[in-house]
Amino acid sequence: QVQLVESGGGLVQAGGSLRLSCAVSGPTFRRYALGWFRQAPGKEREFVAAILWSTGNTYSADSVKGRFTISRDKAKNTVYLQMNSLKPEDTAFYYCAATDNIVVITTTKYDYWGQGTHVTVSS
């Protein structure tokens, strides 16, 4: 069992920055990979970035590489997504998720999901 609660979404102008937070809890979540995903209206949910809690190894989608950074704070049991140089096409609902299967880390086949937080980037 892993519980995930996202926060930090909002409205930002193109070129601006926003930081999303995901509070993580559960007896064994430190064995898991934690990922960020997004879904825009009429589109499929897509992988954004992920981090292995135990090692700190990170993975990111080509569409956000160089602009978004995933990190974790072990003391706060929190995963962050720092989003810089935001573009209108980044507008979407953003979800935090967890999986214990490293094979699916860049897919949407995660086991646990948060409720999502909306990000709107205006032009």
Side-chain angles (χ1 to χ4, degrees), residues 5-71:
V5 181
E6 303 97 328
S7 62
L11 175 65
V12 64
Q13 285 191 325
S17 297
L18 204 61
R19 178 182 287 175
L20 305 183
S21 298
C22 175
V24 189
S25 62
T28 60
F29 77 86
R30 293 167 187 83
R31 298 175 58 189
Y32 284 65
L34 286 304
W36 284 100
F37 299 81
R38 65 187 183 186
Q39 188 166 21
K43 293 189 175 182
E44 295 277 292
R45 187 171 298 182
E46 65 175 345
F47 169 79
V48 176
I51 186 167
L52 303 186
W53 186 271
S54 60
T55 66
N57 290 0
T58 61
Y59 309 80
S60 62
D62 290 343
S63 60
V64 305
K65 199 161 292 181
R67 299 188 299 123
F68 293 9
T69 302
I70 189 169
S71 63

Side-chain angles (χ1 to χ4, degrees), residues 34-106:
L34 286 304
W36 284 100
F37 299 81
R38 65 187 183 186
Q39 188 166 21
K43 293 189 175 182
E44 295 277 292
R45 187 171 298 182
E46 65 175 345
F47 169 79
V48 176
I51 186 167
L52 303 186
W53 186 271
S54 60
T55 66
N57 290 0
T58 61
Y59 309 80
S60 62
D62 290 343
S63 60
V64 305
K65 199 161 292 181
R67 299 188 299 123
F68 293 9
T69 302
I70 189 169
S71 63
R72 52 114 161 69
D73 187 328
K74 290 184 176 181
K76 296 181 178 180
N77 290 346
T78 300
V79 177
Y80 301 99
L81 184 68
Q82 178 66 48
M83 304 184 293
N84 299 325
S85 301
L86 282 160
K87 306 174 181 179
E89 51 262 46
D90 295 318
T91 295
F93 245 90
Y94 283 72
Y95 298 88
C96 185
T99 183
D100 64 357
N101 184 2
I102 193 170
V103 174
V104 308
I105 195 165
T106 60

